[in-house]
Amino acid sequence: MLDHRLDSEYEELRRTVAEFANDVVAPKIGDYYEHNEFPYEIIREMGRMGLFGLPFPEEYGGMGGDYFALCLALEELARVDSSVAITLEAGVSLGAMPIFRFGTEEQKQEWLPRLCSGELLGAFGLTEPEGGSDAGATRTTARLDEETGEWVINGTKCFITNSGTDITGLVTVTALTESTTHSSEAGGKASTRPVISSIIVPAGTPGFTVSKKYSKVGWNASDTRELSFADCRVPAANLLGEVGRGYAQFLRILDEGRIAIAALSTGLAQGCVDQSLAYASERRAFGRTIGANQAIQFKIADMEMRAHTSRLAWRDAASRLLHGEPFKKEAAIAKLHSSDAAVVNAREATQIHGGYGFMNEFPVARFWRDCKILEIGEGTSEVQRMLIARELGMAS
């Protein structure tokens, strides 16, 4: 018989992170958010808890857990705040995971212990100003200088999370390292295909410039910046994996990351339920609590349905990942459904709160500002539909 309940270790982790979110994050995050400040104190505590090392082996300073454990933590954090949750998600699945999945033993030993402890944050430099959803349209270049044994990187990246904090240690950058020419099978014109590789660029490297923080609609307590590279030189040994494998690497990383974003989205959707239940039981109008009105009850029932279904979706995708089964379609379904659920639940929660839902001191106002990016980051909703259709065998 199938049992969807968490085992004791997962449940203990979930409960611990939930207590931390409610007792530590909730009382402080509003002030950080309002002032657009990065919550270093909260992030340090998360590091001491081992959250940044959840899915990594103990030999690299990790907690010996798995991706499912990470997603549980993300959901519980996002029930209270998404800025803190996305800092963890990006630091682990985009910052540290590429090194763990594709790095050499030397790279793992150099970077993972400090990334797992939260001493350093990692970032993933993929998106470019002219690229957007077309991640293969990379314009950033990396030329290997044979005389010095260094990669010379030039280009620009945008919307990069965790890239400019005081504890950012590295950015893994995708870049064109060469082009290859292929002849068509019919003997027609030859075509040139880009060869994309991934290269580790430590923070503070000369030629690597971090722009000021974006002025964002939401996620105001997280760090997001544009990066530029002007003859930025790093050792040849900073190549992540093999030359030309960068595209395949980031596709794998994004597939996994969509499960994490789905868990985060589920947390936001559930947080909207939590806040609406509390408010509806206290707010009185026309002589009774608004929760006594069937219209409000139906809204909250639908919100709970969306959050519950989203949770089942991301847990199914994560389970497939852990069992080594194909999970691309399920990750796309989870990301698509849960991000939509987050947006709808945030809208409904704001409506339930009325004018108070438009005030920043109420968490649902923060949820409303944070939810929309979930339909965009790590693959737009349109991209998820495209991936699902392809996995169903439909022609592209």
Side-chain angles (χ1 to χ4, degrees), residues 153-192:
I153 305 171
N154 286 279
T156 304
K157 301 291 182 177
C158 62
F159 312 136
I160 310 304
T161 304
N162 291 348
S163 58
T165 74
D166 293 343
I167 57 174
T168 297
L170 65 97
V171 178
T172 300
V173 177
T174 55
L176 295 171
T177 46
E178 59 180 282
S179 295
T180 57
T181 301
H182 299 264
S183 298
S184 67
E185 293 182 2
K189 285 187 175 181
S191 62
T192 301

Side-chain angles (χ1 to χ4, degrees), residues 199-313:
I199 300 172
I200 299 171
V201 181
T205 301
F208 173 22
T209 302
V210 180
S211 299
K212 67 178 183 179
K213 293 191 296 184
Y214 289 108
S215 175
K216 297 177 293 187
V217 171
W219 285 0
N220 287 350
S222 72
D223 180 81
T224 317
R225 309 198 186 220
E226 182 174 278
L227 311 177
S228 61
F229 303 88
D231 290 336
C232 175
R233 290 175 173 266
V234 298
N238 283 26
L239 176 71
L240 190 65
E242 302 174 8
V243 170
R245 294 295 299 167
Y247 191 81
Q249 289 170 355
F250 70 66
L251 287 181
R252 167 68 188 224
I253 291 300
L254 289 180
D255 283 341
E256 294 182 359
R258 284 168 185 143
I259 304 175
I261 293 294
L264 191 158
S265 300
T266 300
L268 191 153
Q270 189 66 58
C272 290
V273 177
D274 299 342
Q275 293 297 323
S276 296
L277 277 171
Y279 184 80
S281 66
E282 297 173 359
R283 173 67 168 163
R284 297 184 66 84
F286 304 104
R288 61 179 183 174
T289 62
I290 65 172
N293 298 315
Q294 195 174 67
I296 299 297
Q297 294 173 3
F298 282 9
K299 278 185 182 293
I300 295 177
D302 285 344
M303 292 164 65
E304 175 69 9
M305 173 192 66
R306 284 186 285 269
H308 179 76
T309 307
S310 297
R311 184 173 301 109
L312 294 177

Side-chain angles (χ1 to χ4, degrees), residues 60-77:
Y60 299 120
M63 297 294 288
D66 53 34
Y67 213 84
F68 192 93
L70 170 66
C71 291
L72 280 176
L74 290 171
E75 180 180 336
E76 292 304 323
L77 288 171

Side-chain angles (χ1 to χ4, degrees), residues 52-91:
F52 287 94
L54 275 175
F56 302 113
E58 294 180 9
E59 64 183 293
Y60 299 120
M63 297 294 288
D66 53 34
Y67 213 84
F68 192 93
L70 170 66
C71 291
L72 280 176
L74 290 171
E75 180 180 336
E76 292 304 323
L77 288 171
R79 286 176 76 151
V80 171
D81 180 70
S82 292
S83 292
V84 169
I86 196 60
T87 299
L88 176 62
E89 191 276 335

Side-chain angles (χ1 to χ4, degrees), residues 127-128 130-137 247 258 376 379-383 386:
T127 306
E128 299 193 357
E130 297 182 4
S133 293
D134 186 5
Y247 191 81
R258 284 168 185 143
I376 299 171
T380 64
S381 294
E382 291 77 12
V383 167
M386 179 184 70

